[in-house]
Amino acid sequence: MTPTKYNTYQSYAQNYKARLSLTNKKAVVHLESSNDISFWNAILKWVLPAEEFDFIPYTTTPTGTKGTGCSQCLIYKDFLDKQMVIAIDSDLRYLLQEPGINAANYILQTYTYSFENHLCFVERLNSIVQTVCGLENDIFDFDDFLVRYSKEIYPLFLMFLYDSQKQKHLTISSLSKILTFPHMATWLDNNGTDVIKELHDRVEVELMKLKTLYTAYNHDDEKAKYIPLGLSEDNAYLYIRGHNLYDLIAEIGETLCNALKKREKERLEAIGQHENAVAVYAGTKTFKKELKTTALYYSYPEINKISSDIQSIW
């Protein structure tokens, strides 16, 4: 960073902090974008319910453009304190233990790849179906699906982490393609078996390529390296690219809610309750909308690490 640029952002930070006395807020929280506000506001409210924070979703750069993203947040790393922190998606930084990304340096992180992974925490998904449909979900088991999903992606994800520190043959873009699924008419069949099979086939192709490049690679050694950080074959879904996971879960959830409503409507019509049958579709809530807005769960290690970081700063 040039001295001029350094001085510019130092001035920005000073101005953000100075306005706290006018807004009567606890601290400035610079985010990657406006999409992150609801997540970070929710968890800060959970930990510090009496406090208000000034969220900055972007910075007007010296050239006049809107600066967003993690790199923009990290420009402020030399100017952070209790009055100003940054809150970022971990991406791979946590698992790869990038130096300096921690609460001691006034940097909050998601620990999961991004905040979208937290939105897909399994217990939360089951509650969303109930909120949207008001019906018992006995069609699709999210827990079983996400465990199977995690087990399939886990071996490749470990090799991806290994490769990320070597020659980077498998890019994040390539991995994202493996995790991207077009709409399937059979999302729900046999609890998502078609998705799992497709994922398995894609993973095997990439694993074979990487294994020929890294003949000395040891799966057990890599597995042991990440267990202390929280990554396991049962919860890999929390650590892979969050946007891909979010899109998949949103599609499955919408399909599931539609299936539950359709079945209930047909049941009510069969017993002559036509008005009640029509009312099944009267609600305006959708799975996709609730996936964004339903309250977070605070019952698992990854989100509790964020809570601990917040408490350590304030």
Short mmCIF file of all heavy atoms in Angstrom, two decimals, residues 235-280:
data_model
loop_
_atom_site.label_atom_id
_atom_site.label_comp_id
_atom_site.label_asym_id
_atom_site.label_seq_id
_atom_site.Cartn_x
_atom_site.Cartn_y
_atom_site.Cartn_z
N ASN A 235 -19.23 -33.11 8.77
CA ASN A 235 -19.69 -31.72 8.73
C ASN A 235 -18.98 -30.89 7.66
O ASN A 235 -18.94 -29.65 7.75
CB ASN A 235 -19.51 -31.05 10.10
CG ASN A 235 -18.06 -30.77 10.44
OD1 ASN A 235 -17.14 -31.18 9.72
ND2 ASN A 235 -17.83 -30.05 11.53
N ALA A 236 -18.43 -31.53 6.65
CA ALA A 236 -17.71 -30.80 5.61
C ALA A 236 -18.60 -29.77 4.91
O ALA A 236 -18.10 -28.79 4.35
CB ALA A 236 -17.13 -31.78 4.59
N TYR A 237 -19.91 -29.97 4.96
CA TYR A 237 -20.82 -29.01 4.33
C TYR A 237 -20.70 -27.61 4.92
O TYR A 237 -21.03 -26.62 4.26
CB TYR A 237 -22.27 -29.51 4.41
CG TYR A 237 -22.97 -29.31 5.72
CD1 TYR A 237 -23.78 -28.20 5.94
CD2 TYR A 237 -22.85 -30.24 6.76
CE1 TYR A 237 -24.45 -28.01 7.15
CE2 TYR A 237 -23.50 -30.06 7.97
CZ TYR A 237 -24.31 -28.94 8.15
OH TYR A 237 -24.97 -28.77 9.36
N LEU A 238 -20.22 -27.52 6.15
CA LEU A 238 -20.05 -26.21 6.78
C LEU A 238 -18.79 -25.48 6.29
O LEU A 238 -18.65 -24.28 6.53
CB LEU A 238 -19.98 -26.36 8.30
CG LEU A 238 -21.29 -26.73 9.01
CD1 LEU A 238 -21.03 -27.02 10.48
CD2 LEU A 238 -22.33 -25.63 8.85
N TYR A 239 -17.91 -26.18 5.59
CA TYR A 239 -16.62 -25.61 5.23
C TYR A 239 -16.40 -25.46 3.73
O TYR A 239 -15.48 -24.76 3.31
CB TYR A 239 -15.49 -26.44 5.83
CG TYR A 239 -15.46 -26.38 7.34
CD1 TYR A 239 -16.15 -27.33 8.11
CD2 TYR A 239 -14.78 -25.36 8.00
CE1 TYR A 239 -16.14 -27.26 9.50
CE2 TYR A 239 -14.76 -25.28 9.39
CZ TYR A 239 -15.44 -26.24 10.14
OH TYR A 239 -15.45 -26.17 11.50
N ILE A 240 -17.24 -26.10 2.92
CA ILE A 240 -17.11 -25.93 1.47
C ILE A 240 -17.75 -24.59 1.07
O ILE A 240 -18.40 -23.93 1.88
CB ILE A 240 -17.76 -27.11 0.70
CG1 ILE A 240 -19.21 -27.35 1.16
CG2 ILE A 240 -16.94 -28.38 0.91
CD1 ILE A 240 -20.22 -26.92 0.18
N ARG A 241 -17.57 -24.20 -0.17
CA ARG A 241 -18.03 -22.87 -0.62
C ARG A 241 -19.52 -22.68 -0.34
O ARG A 241 -20.37 -23.38 -0.86
CB ARG A 241 -17.75 -22.70 -2.11
CG ARG A 241 -17.97 -21.28 -2.62
CD ARG A 241 -17.42 -21.15 -4.03
NE ARG A 241 -17.56 -19.80 -4.53
CZ ARG A 241 -18.58 -19.39 -5.30
NH1 ARG A 241 -19.54 -20.25 -5.63
NH2 ARG A 241 -18.64 -18.15 -5.72
N GLY A 242 -19.82 -21.71 0.52
CA GLY A 242 -21.16 -21.55 1.07
C GLY A 242 -22.23 -21.22 0.06
O GLY A 242 -23.37 -21.66 0.20
N HIS A 243 -21.88 -20.44 -0.95
CA HIS A 243 -22.90 -20.04 -1.92
C HIS A 243 -23.45 -21.24 -2.68
O HIS A 243 -24.66 -21.32 -2.93
CB HIS A 243 -22.32 -19.01 -2.90
CG HIS A 243 -23.33 -18.40 -3.81
ND1 HIS A 243 -24.28 -17.50 -3.35
CD2 HIS A 243 -23.59 -18.57 -5.13
CE1 HIS A 243 -25.05 -17.13 -4.36
NE2 HIS A 243 -24.66 -17.77 -5.45
N ASN A 244 -22.58 -22.18 -3.03
CA ASN A 244 -23.04 -23.38 -3.74
C ASN A 244 -23.96 -24.22 -2.86
O ASN A 244 -24.99 -24.73 -3.31
CB ASN A 244 -21.85 -24.21 -4.19
CG ASN A 244 -20.96 -23.47 -5.16
OD1 ASN A 244 -19.86 -23.08 -4.81
ND2 ASN A 244 -21.42 -23.25 -6.38
N LEU A 245 -23.57 -24.39 -1.60
CA LEU A 245 -24.40 -25.14 -0.66
C LEU A 245 -25.75 -24.46 -0.47
O LEU A 245 -26.80 -25.11 -0.50
CB LEU A 245 -23.68 -25.25 0.69
CG LEU A 245 -24.49 -25.91 1.81
CD1 LEU A 245 -24.66 -27.40 1.54
CD2 LEU A 245 -23.81 -25.68 3.16
N TYR A 246 -25.73 -23.15 -0.30
CA TYR A 246 -26.96 -22.38 -0.09
C TYR A 246 -27.93 -22.56 -1.25
O TYR A 246 -29.13 -22.80 -1.04
CB TYR A 246 -26.60 -20.90 0.09
CG TYR A 246 -27.78 -20.00 0.33
CD1 TYR A 246 -28.23 -19.74 1.62
CD2 TYR A 246 -28.44 -19.40 -0.73
CE1 TYR A 246 -29.32 -18.91 1.84
CE2 TYR A 246 -29.52 -18.57 -0.52
CZ TYR A 246 -29.96 -18.32 0.76
OH TYR A 246 -31.04 -17.50 0.97
N ASP A 247 -27.42 -22.45 -2.46
CA ASP A 247 -28.29 -22.60 -3.64
C ASP A 247 -28.93 -23.99 -3.70
O ASP A 247 -30.11 -24.13 -4.02
CB ASP A 247 -27.49 -22.34 -4.92
CG ASP A 247 -27.15 -20.87 -5.11
OD1 ASP A 247 -27.75 -20.03 -4.41
OD2 ASP A 247 -26.29 -20.58 -5.95
N LEU A 248 -28.13 -25.00 -3.39
CA LEU A 248 -28.64 -26.38 -3.41
C LEU A 248 -29.73 -26.57 -2.35
O LEU A 248 -30.81 -27.11 -2.64
CB LEU A 248 -27.49 -27.36 -3.17
CG LEU A 248 -27.88 -28.83 -3.01
CD1 LEU A 248 -28.52 -29.36 -4.28
CD2 LEU A 248 -26.65 -29.67 -2.63
N ILE A 249 -29.47 -26.14 -1.13
CA ILE A 249 -30.43 -26.31 -0.04
C ILE A 249 -31.69 -25.51 -0.31
O ILE A 249 -32.81 -25.97 -0.01
CB ILE A 249 -29.79 -25.91 1.30
CG1 ILE A 249 -28.68 -26.90 1.67
CG2 ILE A 249 -30.84 -25.85 2.40
CD1 ILE A 249 -29.12 -28.33 1.82
N ALA A 250 -31.56 -24.32 -0.87
CA ALA A 250 -32.73 -23.51 -1.20
C ALA A 250 -33.63 -24.22 -2.20
O ALA A 250 -34.86 -24.23 -2.06
CB ALA A 250 -32.30 -22.15 -1.74
N GLU A 251 -33.02 -24.84 -3.22
CA GLU A 251 -33.81 -25.56 -4.23
C GLU A 251 -34.49 -26.79 -3.63
O GLU A 251 -35.67 -27.06 -3.89
CB GLU A 251 -32.90 -25.98 -5.38
CG GLU A 251 -32.45 -24.85 -6.28
CD GLU A 251 -33.60 -24.33 -7.14
OE1 GLU A 251 -34.56 -25.08 -7.38
OE2 GLU A 251 -33.51 -23.17 -7.57
N ILE A 252 -33.74 -27.55 -2.83
CA ILE A 252 -34.32 -28.74 -2.20
C ILE A 252 -35.45 -28.34 -1.26
O ILE A 252 -36.52 -28.97 -1.22
CB ILE A 252 -33.24 -29.54 -1.45
CG1 ILE A 252 -32.29 -30.19 -2.45
CG2 ILE A 252 -33.86 -30.61 -0.55
CD1 ILE A 252 -31.10 -30.91 -1.82
N GLY A 253 -35.22 -27.28 -0.47
CA GLY A 253 -36.23 -26.83 0.48
C GLY A 253 -37.51 -26.37 -0.18
O GLY A 253 -38.62 -26.68 0.29
N GLU A 254 -37.39 -25.64 -1.29
CA GLU A 254 -38.57 -25.20 -2.03
C GLU A 254 -39.35 -26.41 -2.56
O GLU A 254 -40.58 -26.46 -2.47
CB GLU A 254 -38.15 -24.30 -3.19
CG GLU A 254 -37.84 -22.88 -2.82
CD GLU A 254 -39.08 -22.12 -2.36
OE1 GLU A 254 -40.02 -21.96 -3.16
OE2 GLU A 254 -39.11 -21.72 -1.18
N THR A 255 -38.62 -27.36 -3.13
CA THR A 255 -39.26 -28.56 -3.67
C THR A 255 -39.96 -29.35 -2.56
O THR A 255 -41.07 -29.85 -2.74
CB THR A 255 -38.21 -29.45 -4.37
OG1 THR A 255 -37.54 -28.69 -5.38
CG2 THR A 255 -38.87 -30.66 -5.01
N LEU A 256 -39.30 -29.44 -1.42
CA LEU A 256 -39.87 -30.16 -0.29
C LEU A 256 -41.15 -29.50 0.21
O LEU A 256 -42.17 -30.18 0.43
CB LEU A 256 -38.85 -30.21 0.85
CG LEU A 256 -39.33 -30.74 2.20
CD1 LEU A 256 -39.83 -32.18 2.08
CD2 LEU A 256 -38.20 -30.65 3.23
N CYS A 257 -41.15 -28.19 0.38
CA CYS A 257 -42.34 -27.49 0.86
C CYS A 257 -43.49 -27.63 -0.13
O CYS A 257 -44.65 -27.81 0.27
CB CYS A 257 -42.02 -26.02 1.11
SG CYS A 257 -41.00 -25.74 2.58
N ASN A 258 -43.17 -27.55 -1.41
CA ASN A 258 -44.22 -27.73 -2.42
C ASN A 258 -44.81 -29.13 -2.37
O ASN A 258 -46.03 -29.32 -2.52
CB ASN A 258 -43.66 -27.44 -3.82
CG ASN A 258 -43.39 -25.96 -4.04
OD1 ASN A 258 -44.03 -25.11 -3.41
ND2 ASN A 258 -42.48 -25.66 -4.94
N ALA A 259 -43.96 -30.12 -2.15
CA ALA A 259 -44.43 -31.51 -2.07
C ALA A 259 -45.31 -31.72 -0.84
O ALA A 259 -46.35 -32.41 -0.92
CB ALA A 259 -43.24 -32.46 -2.05
N LEU A 260 -44.92 -31.16 0.28
CA LEU A 260 -45.72 -31.29 1.50
C LEU A 260 -47.08 -30.62 1.34
O LEU A 260 -48.11 -31.16 1.76
CB LEU A 260 -44.96 -30.68 2.68
CG LEU A 260 -43.75 -31.46 3.20
CD1 LEU A 260 -42.91 -30.60 4.14
CD2 LEU A 260 -44.21 -32.73 3.92
N LYS A 261 -47.10 -29.44 0.74
CA LYS A 261 -48.37 -28.71 0.54
C LYS A 261 -49.27 -29.46 -0.43
O LYS A 261 -50.49 -29.56 -0.22
CB LYS A 261 -48.08 -27.31 0.02
CG LYS A 261 -47.48 -26.37 1.05
CD LYS A 261 -47.20 -25.01 0.43
CE LYS A 261 -46.60 -24.05 1.45
NZ LYS A 261 -46.32 -22.72 0.84
N LYS A 262 -48.68 -29.97 -1.49
CA LYS A 262 -49.47 -30.70 -2.50
C LYS A 262 -50.12 -31.93 -1.87
O LYS A 262 -51.31 -32.20 -2.09
CB LYS A 262 -48.56 -31.11 -3.66
CG LYS A 262 -49.27 -31.88 -4.79
CD LYS A 262 -48.29 -32.14 -5.92
CE LYS A 262 -48.98 -32.85 -7.07
NZ LYS A 262 -49.34 -34.23 -6.75
N ARG A 263 -49.35 -32.65 -1.08
CA ARG A 263 -49.88 -33.86 -0.44
C ARG A 263 -50.99 -33.51 0.53
O ARG A 263 -52.04 -34.19 0.59
CB ARG A 263 -48.76 -34.61 0.28
CG ARG A 263 -49.19 -35.96 0.84
CD ARG A 263 -48.07 -36.64 1.59
NE ARG A 263 -47.70 -35.90 2.80
CZ ARG A 263 -46.74 -36.30 3.64
NH1 ARG A 263 -46.03 -37.39 3.38
NH2 ARG A 263 -46.47 -35.60 4.72
N GLU A 264 -50.81 -32.43 1.31
CA GLU A 264 -51.83 -32.02 2.28
C GLU A 264 -53.09 -31.55 1.57
O GLU A 264 -54.21 -31.85 2.02
CB GLU A 264 -51.27 -30.92 3.19
CG GLU A 264 -52.24 -30.39 4.23
CD GLU A 264 -52.65 -31.41 5.28
OE1 GLU A 264 -52.12 -32.55 5.25
OE2 GLU A 264 -53.49 -31.07 6.14
N LYS A 265 -52.93 -30.81 0.49
CA LYS A 265 -54.09 -30.35 -0.28
C LYS A 265 -54.90 -31.54 -0.81
O LYS A 265 -56.13 -31.57 -0.72
CB LYS A 265 -53.64 -29.47 -1.44
CG LYS A 265 -54.76 -28.92 -2.32
CD LYS A 265 -54.20 -27.96 -3.36
CE LYS A 265 -55.31 -27.39 -4.22
NZ LYS A 265 -55.90 -28.38 -5.13
N GLU A 266 -54.20 -32.52 -1.35
CA GLU A 266 -54.87 -33.70 -1.89
C GLU A 266 -55.57 -34.48 -0.78
O GLU A 266 -56.68 -35.01 -0.97
CB GLU A 266 -53.86 -34.58 -2.62
CG GLU A 266 -53.35 -33.95 -3.91
CD GLU A 266 -52.22 -34.75 -4.54
OE1 GLU A 266 -51.69 -35.67 -3.86
OE2 GLU A 266 -51.86 -34.46 -5.70
N ARG A 267 -54.96 -34.55 0.40
CA ARG A 267 -55.58 -35.25 1.53
C ARG A 267 -56.87 -34.56 1.96
O ARG A 267 -57.90 -35.23 2.19
CB ARG A 267 -54.60 -35.29 2.71
CG ARG A 267 -55.11 -36.10 3.91
CD ARG A 267 -54.20 -35.97 5.11
NE ARG A 267 -54.31 -34.65 5.73
CZ ARG A 267 -55.29 -34.30 6.58
NH1 ARG A 267 -56.25 -35.15 6.90
NH2 ARG A 267 -55.29 -33.08 7.09
N LEU A 268 -56.82 -33.25 2.06
CA LEU A 268 -58.00 -32.50 2.48
C LEU A 268 -59.12 -32.57 1.44
O LEU A 268 -60.30 -32.68 1.80
CB LEU A 268 -57.62 -31.04 2.75
CG LEU A 268 -56.71 -30.81 3.97
CD1 LEU A 268 -56.18 -29.39 3.98
CD2 LEU A 268 -57.47 -31.11 5.27
N GLU A 269 -58.76 -32.52 0.19
CA GLU A 269 -59.78 -32.63 -0.87
C GLU A 269 -60.44 -34.01 -0.85
O GLU A 269 -61.66 -34.13 -1.07
CB GLU A 269 -59.14 -32.38 -2.24
CG GLU A 269 -58.81 -30.92 -2.48
CD GLU A 269 -58.11 -30.69 -3.82
OE1 GLU A 269 -57.51 -31.66 -4.34
OE2 GLU A 269 -58.19 -29.57 -4.33
N ALA A 270 -59.65 -35.03 -0.53
CA ALA A 270 -60.18 -36.40 -0.52
C ALA A 270 -61.22 -36.61 0.57
O ALA A 270 -62.10 -37.48 0.45
CB ALA A 270 -59.03 -37.39 -0.35
N ILE A 271 -61.15 -35.80 1.65
CA ILE A 271 -62.14 -35.94 2.73
C ILE A 271 -63.16 -34.79 2.71
O ILE A 271 -63.87 -34.57 3.68
CB ILE A 271 -61.44 -36.01 4.11
CG1 ILE A 271 -60.61 -34.77 4.38
CG2 ILE A 271 -60.59 -37.27 4.20
CD1 ILE A 271 -59.97 -34.73 5.76
N GLY A 272 -63.18 -34.08 1.58
CA GLY A 272 -64.21 -33.07 1.39
C GLY A 272 -63.95 -31.72 2.05
O GLY A 272 -64.85 -30.87 2.07
N GLN A 273 -62.78 -31.48 2.58
CA GLN A 273 -62.47 -30.19 3.22
C GLN A 273 -61.84 -29.23 2.19
O GLN A 273 -60.67 -28.87 2.25
CB GLN A 273 -61.54 -30.40 4.40
CG GLN A 273 -62.15 -31.21 5.53
CD GLN A 273 -61.26 -31.25 6.75
OE1 GLN A 273 -60.34 -30.46 6.92
NE2 GLN A 273 -61.54 -32.21 7.63
N HIS A 274 -62.67 -28.79 1.24
CA HIS A 274 -62.17 -28.02 0.11
C HIS A 274 -61.65 -26.63 0.50
O HIS A 274 -60.67 -26.16 -0.06
CB HIS A 274 -63.27 -27.91 -0.95
CG HIS A 274 -63.71 -29.24 -1.48
ND1 HIS A 274 -62.90 -30.05 -2.25
CD2 HIS A 274 -64.88 -29.94 -1.30
CE1 HIS A 274 -63.54 -31.17 -2.55
NE2 HIS A 274 -64.75 -31.13 -1.98
N GLU A 275 -62.32 -25.98 1.45
CA GLU A 275 -61.85 -24.66 1.87
C GLU A 275 -60.49 -24.76 2.55
O GLU A 275 -59.60 -23.94 2.31
CB GLU A 275 -62.86 -24.01 2.83
CG GLU A 275 -64.15 -23.57 2.15
CD GLU A 275 -65.05 -22.81 3.11
OE1 GLU A 275 -64.59 -22.51 4.23
OE2 GLU A 275 -66.19 -22.52 2.74
N ASN A 276 -60.33 -25.76 3.38
CA ASN A 276 -59.03 -25.97 4.03
C ASN A 276 -57.96 -26.35 3.01
O ASN A 276 -56.79 -25.99 3.17
CB ASN A 276 -59.13 -27.05 5.09
CG ASN A 276 -59.94 -26.60 6.30
OD1 ASN A 276 -60.06 -25.41 6.55
ND2 ASN A 276 -60.48 -27.55 7.05
N ALA A 277 -58.37 -27.07 1.99
CA ALA A 277 -57.42 -27.47 0.94
C ALA A 277 -56.88 -26.24 0.21
O ALA A 277 -55.68 -26.14 -0.06
CB ALA A 277 -58.08 -28.43 -0.04
N VAL A 278 -57.75 -25.31 -0.08
CA VAL A 278 -57.34 -24.07 -0.75
C VAL A 278 -56.40 -23.26 0.15
O VAL A 278 -55.43 -22.66 -0.31
CB VAL A 278 -58.57 -23.23 -1.14
CG1 VAL A 278 -58.13 -21.86 -1.65
CG2 VAL A 278 -59.40 -23.96 -2.20
N ALA A 279 -56.69 -23.27 1.44
CA ALA A 279 -55.91 -22.49 2.41
C ALA A 279 -54.47 -22.97 2.55
O ALA A 279 -53.61 -22.23 3.04
CB ALA A 279 -56.60 -22.52 3.77
N VAL A 280 -54.21 -24.19 2.13
CA VAL A 280 -52.84 -24.73 2.22
C VAL A 280 -51.85 -23.83 1.48
O VAL A 280 -50.70 -23.66 1.89
CB VAL A 280 -52.79 -26.17 1.67
CG1 VAL A 280 -51.34 -26.64 1.51
CG2 VAL A 280 -53.54 -27.12 2.59
#
